[in-house]
């Protein structure tokens, strides 16, 4: 009896999909386009109406973007250099992020699980946390010099806290019931770490990774203000110095798209690994 | 006559301390359970039923007295005493199969043995079609079947159940009661079952233990001699029910007076 009710509840979700999936996707896509298109239209009209002389029109930016990506239009110092700057930024974003994850996840687990570690580290980390990453810029230039290492360090700092705090939270909020269930089934002591704590904390850890990666892209512009020759942040700073607003806008767009795509990658991996969680399968 | 009981609860008391305040949850509880018996604990909420069960499970340490399993003091949670919680306590990241295999795998049994055990118990509780579903995809009744199967798959000798069917609808509850009795009769399990439904207690138990609050204690025990399978609509059943309900209310009346 309850088998059939549950079957009825579980199956329509799968059965209904093939028919309604594509129209639903198109609809979602269409709805998502409304605001960007309206903004683009407003931008175009505003520039044409002469509301500003300092900002190029969308069509001009699009043209610069093509030149920035593949060259052949203006042939200046920035033509066909998009991939160089993008790769430079990506290496710092992912490098700094990976290092942050490598340090913050184990540290967060330690702080979450061990009273002594928590007593020693938590006050210090809480004290350092309100200091914005941007405030670290001068110090990081002294410590790491002008250049890529400084950018790398700032990205690391930016991604570190969200990963750490969410890991601590995840480890500390494992339901007590699950420890009881594990121990009455014969899984006790340190064995509970891999079989209970880690899987239970995984959704929070992923939330932290996602926020951390977002912040890494956020921080990269600041990180690349410190006199690195390549990188999207450097492009934006150069564009500002040279009063080439179209370059600034191109850099912004590339960062936005790259950040968005890397978030989608994390979300896809997350949804795959957390299929068991009712709030993650979709 | 002097056969060793599976469970011997001797003068068990429990005092919780909460913000410096002492709460006497259980006082001088004595109870003997023989192998294969089905015992129901019944009583108003707050009379220490869960506390007693959790002491037997090894989740709580008694303040006084001791609980002996096969004459040895209960030292902590262990697979010989499986617990079925009202809120299921399933691992949400494991499928039905993996939840049922959690205990055997934790004990390091060989893979093939774990697989065979899991298949046997998946089938026993009728979840073959849902073996690879995650808990969030199951109904309450199915979740509780998984919870029962995972303690059975782990060779529990005694199953401790704390209002396991309390959150289920009436139809599912009746069905699970039947299934539980069926499993119990086939496996010679010993069951200690907490409920606040008089009917459920009489339907299931060999013996009903009535508890009283303030402080929590065991008030009386009643053997249920009705032949199985029991019919809740029969006059004999109703007679027992009337009798037990009068006992419960006389406890309450005495408290109120
Ligand atoms: N962990 C705890 N800390 C403090 N008091 C508790 C705790 N668990 C239970 N109690 C108290 O002990 C008494 C008995 O509780 P319980 O055993 O849960 O009763 P029942 O299961 O019969 O409703 C109640 O007054 C309850 O508030
Ligand atoms: Mg209770």
């Amino acid at each position: 009896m309850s088998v059939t009710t549950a079957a009825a509840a579980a199956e329509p979700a799968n059965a209904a999909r093939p028919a309604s999936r594509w129209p639903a996707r198109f609809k979602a896509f269409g709805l998502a386009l409304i605001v960007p298109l309206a903004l683009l239209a407003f931008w175009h009209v505003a520039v044409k109406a002469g509301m500003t002389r300092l900002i190029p029109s969308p069509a001009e930016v699009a043209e610069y973007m093509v030149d920035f990506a593949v060259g052949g239009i203006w042939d200046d110092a920035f033509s066909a250099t998009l991939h160089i700057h993008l790769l430079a930024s990506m290496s710092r974003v992912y490098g700094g992020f990976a290092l942050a994850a490598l340090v913050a996840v184990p540290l967060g687990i330690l702080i979450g699980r061990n009273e002594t570690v928590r007593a020693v580290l938590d006050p210090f980390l809480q004290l350092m946390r309100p200091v914005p990453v941007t405030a670290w810029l001068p110090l990081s230039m002294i410590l790491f010099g002008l250049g890529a290492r400084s950018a790398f360090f700032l990205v690391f700092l930016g991604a570190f806290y969200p990963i750490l705090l969410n890991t601590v939270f995840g480890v500390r909020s494992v339901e007590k019931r699950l420890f009881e269930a594990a121990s009455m089934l014969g899984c006790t002591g340190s064995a509970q770490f891999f079989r209970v704590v880690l899987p239970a904390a995984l959704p929070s850890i992923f939330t932290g990774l996602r926020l951390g990666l977002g912040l890494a892209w956020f921080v990269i512009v600041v990180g690349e203000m410190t006199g690195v020759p390549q990188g999207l942040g450097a492009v934006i700073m150069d564009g500002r110095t040279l009063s080439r607003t179209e370059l600034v806008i191109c850099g912004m767009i590339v960062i936005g798209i790259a950040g968005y795509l890397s978030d989608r990658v994390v979300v896809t991996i997350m949804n795959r690994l957390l299929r068991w969680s009712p709030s993650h399968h979709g | 006559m002097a056969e060793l009981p599976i469970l011997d609860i001797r003068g068990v008391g429990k005092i919780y301390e909460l913000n410096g305040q002492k709460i006497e949850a259980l006082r001088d509880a004595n109870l003997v359970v023989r192998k294969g018996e089905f015992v129901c604990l019944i009583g108003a909420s707050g009379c220490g039923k869960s506390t007693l069960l959790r002491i037997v499970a090894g989740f709580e340490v008694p303040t006084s007295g001791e609980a002996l399993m096969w004459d040895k003091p209960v030292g902590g949670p262990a697979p010989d005493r499986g617990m079925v919680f009202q809120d299921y306590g399933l691992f949400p990241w494991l499928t039905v199969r993996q939840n049922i295999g959690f205990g055997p795998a934790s004990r390091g049994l060989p893979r093939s043995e774990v697989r065979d055990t899991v298949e046997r118990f998946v089938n026993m509780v009728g979840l073959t079609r849902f073996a690879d579903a995650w808990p969030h995809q199951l109904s309450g009744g199915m979740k509780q079947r998984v919870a029962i199967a995972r303690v059975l798959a782990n060779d529990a000798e005694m199953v401790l159940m704390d209002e396991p069917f309390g959150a289920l609808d009436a139809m599912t509850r009746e069905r699970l009661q039947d299934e539980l009795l069926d499993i119990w009769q086939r496996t010679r399990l010993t069951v200690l079952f907490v409920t606040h439904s008089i009917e459920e207690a009489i339907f299931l138990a060999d013996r009903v233990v009535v508890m009283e609050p303030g402080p929590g204690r065991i008030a009386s025990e009643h053997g249920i001699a009705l032949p199985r399978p029991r019919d809740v609509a029969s006059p004999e059943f109703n007679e027992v029910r009337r009798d037990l309900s009068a006992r419960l209310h006389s406890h309450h009346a005495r408290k109120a007076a």
Side-chain angles (χ1 to χ4, degrees):
Chain A
M1 167 224 55
S2 69
V3 171
T4 48
T5 36
E11 272 153 25
N14 301 326
R17 239 174 239 165
S20 64
R21 192 165 191 167
W22 283 108
R25 283 243 169 135
F26 274 124
K27 194 178 168 204
F29 193 64
L31 287 175
L33 279 180
I34 292 176
V35 175
L37 287 180
L39 210 62
L40 220 54
F42 173 76
W43 174 10
H44 176 80
V45 170
V47 172
K48 289 295 163 205
M51 280 164 73
T52 167
R53 272 176 291 117
L54 298 175
I55 296 178
S57 73
E60 287 172 294
V61 172
E63 195 183 72
Y64 281 120
M65 184 68 101
V66 172
D67 185 63
F68 186 35
V70 294
I73 299 174
W74 298 96
D75 288 319
D76 59 20
F78 291 97
S79 295
T81 57
L82 171 65
H83 61 286
I84 298 170
H85 296 292
L86 182 60
L87 276 177
S89 290
M90 277 173 66
S91 69
R92 286 166 205 142
V93 164
Y94 289 113
F97 167 76
L99 192 63
L102 238 53
V103 177
V105 171
L107 193 64
I109 289 171
L110 265 177
I111 292 175
R113 293 284 286 170
N114 188 300
E115 293 289 339
T116 315
V117 176
R118 178 154 63 245
V120 171
L121 286 181
D122 199 53
F124 169 73
L125 291 168
Q126 295 299 339
L127 204 67
M128 301 295 279
R129 193 164 72 99
V131 181
V133 177
T134 39
W136 278 92
L137 183 63
L139 208 57
S140 112
M141 284 163 67
I142 294 168
L143 288 172
F144 299 101
L146 282 166
R149 285 203 301 162
S150 202
F152 192 83
F153 171 72
L154 290 179
V155 167
F156 167 83
L157 263 188
F160 179 79
Y161 273 104
I163 302 176
L164 181 85
L165 295 179
N166 280 282
T167 303
V168 173
F169 172 79
V171 167
R172 297 206 65 186
S173 49
V174 183
E175 270 182 77
K176 204 176 124 244
R177 175 71 79 234
L178 297 181
F179 290 114
E180 291 180 351
S183 54
M184 66 99 183
L185 290 169
C187 172
T188 53
S190 57
Q192 287 186 347
F193 178 75
F194 286 105
R195 306 209 61 194
V196 180
V197 177
L198 216 49
L202 209 57
S204 293
I205 293 176
F206 261 105
T207 301
L209 291 175
R210 197 181 164 194
L211 286 171
L213 189 56
L215 268 163
W217 278 104
F218 190 89
V219 166
I220 191 67
V221 179
V222 182
E224 288 173 347
M225 281 177 188
T226 55
V228 293
Q230 280 148 5
L232 295 167
V235 169
I236 290 174
M237 288 314 290
D238 288 348
R240 197 196 75 137
T241 320
L242 303 171
S243 297
R244 288 190 54 182
T245 317
E246 76 282 358
L247 207 54
V248 174
I249 297 175
C250 284
M252 288 168 68
I253 291 171
V254 174
I255 289 186
I257 292 173
Y260 172 78
L261 290 179
S262 78
D263 186 59
R264 291 324 297 172
V265 170
V266 176
V267 169
T268 304
I269 296 172
M270 179 162 89
N271 285 344
R272 179 93 201 127
L273 284 177
L274 303 180
R275 266 171 311 161
W276 53 268
S277 161
S279 48
H280 282 96
H281 57 97
Chain B
M1 284 298 90
E3 192 196 339
L4 189 64
I6 184 169
L7 182 68
D8 190 353
I9 296 171
R10 289 189 184 163
V12 163
K14 177 73 186 178
I15 296 171
Y16 289 108
E17 256 183 78
L18 195 66
N19 312 322
Q21 241 189 320
K22 293 192 176 193
I23 301 165
E24 189 171 12
L26 199 59
R27 179 187 288 180
D28 191 30
N30 290 284
L31 181 67
V32 172
V33 178
R34 284 174 299 277
K35 172 97 180 148
E37 239 189 326
F38 200 126
V39 174
C40 279
L41 300 177
I42 191 168
S45 76
C47 65
K49 306 183 295 293
S50 295
T51 300
L52 186 57
L53 215 62
R54 291 173 57 79
I55 287 172
V56 175
F59 296 142
E60 306 284 353
V61 179
T63 321
S64 55
E66 58 182 352
L68 304 172
M69 174 134 176
W70 293 128
D71 222 21
K72 283 196 203 66
V74 163
D80 58 350
R81 285 154 284 127
M83 184 99 165
V84 175
F85 306 96
Q86 182 175 14
D87 57 7
Y88 322 114
L90 300 179
F91 302 107
W93 56 87
L94 299 180
T95 63
V96 166
R97 242 192 209 106
Q98 293 166 332
N99 263 287
I100 295 175
F102 186 93
S106 289
R107 285 186 297 152
L109 296 187
R111 253 166 205 274
S112 62
E113 200 173 318
V114 172
R115 203 171 40 230
D116 294 346
T117 310
V118 167
E119 279 328 294
R120 196 149 57 85
F121 286 95
V122 165
N123 294 334
M124 180 186 270
V125 295
L127 288 174
T128 319
R129 285 183 52 220
F130 292 89
D132 294 312
W134 279 286
H136 81 264
Q137 298 170 309
L138 305 178
S139 67
M142 298 169 94
K143 284 184 203 171
Q144 209 52 297
R145 285 196 182 90
V146 178
I148 292 169
R150 79 172 170 184
V151 298
L152 298 180
N154 208 21
D155 281 341
E157 237 189 317
M158 181 153 58
V159 180
L160 310 168
M161 308 179 89
D162 196 351
E163 303 192 30
F165 307 149
L168 307 179
D169 63 86
M171 296 238 285
T172 309
R173 179 191 320 205
E174 279 169 28
R175 198 184 148 117
L176 276 166
Q177 288 168 350
D178 287 334
E179 289 177 13
L180 177 63
L181 282 182
D182 188 49
I183 291 171
W184 169 68
Q185 278 161 341
R186 277 193 287 155
T187 52
R188 283 261 303 150
L189 273 176
T190 308
V191 182
L192 197 53
F193 188 107
V194 168
T195 175
H196 53 238
S197 154
I198 295 178
E199 182 173 301
E200 185 170 58
I202 299 171
F203 183 70
L204 294 173
D206 293 322
R207 189 150 49 106
V208 176
V209 175
V210 176
M211 296 184 68
E212 263 184 71
R217 75 208 105 101
I218 292 176
S220 56
E221 291 187 25
H222 310 264
I224 308 293
L226 295 171
R228 297 174 190 271
R230 292 171 181 166
D231 176 4
V232 293
S234 71
E236 297 81 13
F237 194 99
N238 269 309
E239 200 176 319
V240 176
R241 177 174 16 207
R242 214 174 310 123
D243 191 42
L244 196 57
S245 157
R247 291 291 190 100
L248 267 169
H249 289 127
S250 75
H251 291 318
H252 284 251
R254 216 169 46 224
K255 264 219 71 93

